[in-house]
Amino acid sequence: AQSVTQLDSHVSVSEGTPVLLRCNYSSSYSPSLFWYVQHPNKGLQLLLKYTSAATLVKGINGFEAEFKKSETSFHLTKPSAHMSDAAEYFCVVSDRSGYSTLTFGKGTMLLVSP
Amino acid sequence: DAMVIQNPRYQVTQFGKPVTLSCSQTLNHNVMYWYQQKSSQAPKLLFHYYDKDFNNEADTPDNFQSRRPNTSFCFLDIRSPGLGDAAMYLCATSRDRPSGNNEQFFGPGTRLTVL
C-alpha cells in the first residue's frame, strides 16, 4: 500500500523568497516520487521525478526536491519564487516494481504575493 | 510535438443527458488513463486501458464507461450525468503498464458542467 501526505494545504510566499512545499510518503516497495504542477483550469505538468538515481532531483523552472528515505520525505523547494509559480502542486507516489498506479496527495496551493 | 489532446476543453450538458469526452495522443503510448478531478481535490483514477485491456477502478460508478477504438483515441462516456459528476476530466498516457518507472503524460483536461 502507498500513500502521500502533503503537510500544507496552502503556502503563501512573497515574490523573490524561497519556496518549501512539504511531502511525506509511505510505500511498501521502492517508490518513485513525482511533483506535478497544475495552473488554474489546466492539466498536470510534471515538474520533476525521483526513480532511484540521485536523491537530489532538479526539475523545470528552478524547482528541486530531495528524496530522504530515513525521513520518508520528498519536499519541493525553489530558491526564489516568481509570480508565475502560483499554482496547485501535487506530490505523487508510485511503486517502482510491479503494477502500480499513481497515488496523489491532496495538493498544496502556492500563493505568491508581489 | 508529441502530445495528449482533449476535446472539447469545456463541455456543458444537461442532467441525465449522455455525454462523451474525447482524448487523443500522438505519443504512441500503450496505456491511456481517465481521471476525475473535482474542485480543490486531487485527481482520482476512474479506469485505464493497457492496449485493449480495460481496467476499471473498484469504486468507479457504472455510469462511467470508456472505449478505446485504436491506439490513438480513448473516449469517456457518462451515460446519465448527475450534478455530482461536474468536474475536470483528465486524460493521461504512459508508454507501458502503470508503475513508478512509467511517467504519465497529462492532457489539458475537459471541464464538464452539468445543468
Side-chain angles (χ1 to χ4, degrees):
Chain A
Q2 56 196 26
S3 66
V4 174
T5 302
Q6 291 185 242
L7 295 150
D8 306 292
S9 60
H10 292 81
V11 170
S12 295
V13 301
S14 299
E15 191 174 23
T17 64
V19 175
L20 170 63
L21 305 184
R22 298 182 294 167
C23 172
N24 286 103
Y25 71 91
S26 171
S27 176
S28 302
Y29 302 100
S30 300
S32 287
L33 291 153
F34 308 83
W35 276 99
Y36 282 90
V37 61
Q38 187 177 33
H39 288 90
N41 290 312
K42 296 289 178 66
L44 296 167
Q45 181 183 19
L46 181 68
L47 276 179
L48 49 80
K49 63 181 178 181
Y50 165 81
T51 54
S52 74
T55 56
L56 182 61
V57 181
K58 294 188 184 299
I60 62 172
N61 300 335
F63 285 94
E64 62 181 40
E66 186 171 8
F67 173 71
K68 292 186 176 180
K69 187 175 180 179
S70 61
E71 298 177 10
T72 60
S73 70
F74 191 58
H75 301 334
L76 181 70
T77 61
K78 183 173 180 178
S80 176
H82 192 272
M83 293 296 290
S84 61
D85 295 328
E88 183 126 35
Y89 292 78
F90 291 97
C91 183
V92 181
V93 67
S94 181
D95 287 333
R96 230 179 302 135
S97 57
Y99 178 97
S100 176
T101 55
L102 301 182
T103 297
F104 284 79
K106 292 188 176 181
T108 297
M109 179 65 73
L110 177 65
L111 307 169
V112 183
S113 56
Chain B
D1 285 342
M3 54 198 303
V4 182
I5 303 157
Q6 291 188 246
N7 286 307
R9 294 293 313 280
Y10 299 89
Q11 176 73 56
V12 180
T13 190
Q14 292 179 339
F15 182 93
K17 185 175 180 181
V19 65
T20 294
L21 308 183
S22 169
C23 177
S24 63
Q25 53 127 343
T26 60
L27 297 160
N28 203 33
H29 282 175
N30 288 318
V31 189
M32 296 186 76
Y33 308 78
W34 280 105
Y35 290 84
Q36 179 192 63
Q37 185 181 23
K38 295 189 176 180
S39 182
S40 301
Q41 295 184 21
K44 176 180 179 297
L45 182 64
L46 294 173
F47 27 58
H48 73 274
Y49 273 96
Y50 180 26
D51 196 11
K52 295 183 180 179
D53 293 333
F54 179 69
N55 298 269
N56 200 31
E57 293 300 298
D59 55 355
T60 298
D62 293 340
N63 199 25
F64 291 86
Q65 305 286 322
S66 186
R67 296 170 284 135
R68 189 179 186 187
N70 54 53
T71 300
S72 300
F73 284 86
C74 195
F75 300 99
L76 170 62
D77 300 309
I78 309 176
R79 292 193 296 189
S80 181
L83 297 179
D85 296 327
M88 174 79 89
Y89 290 88
L90 297 166
C91 176
T93 72
S94 65
R95 184 174 55 203
D96 207 345
R97 63 176 183 167
S99 87
N101 284 323
N102 291 305
E103 178 184 338
Q104 291 189 22
F105 296 80
F106 285 82
T110 294
R111 181 162 296 283
L112 178 68
T113 300
V114 181
L115 300 177

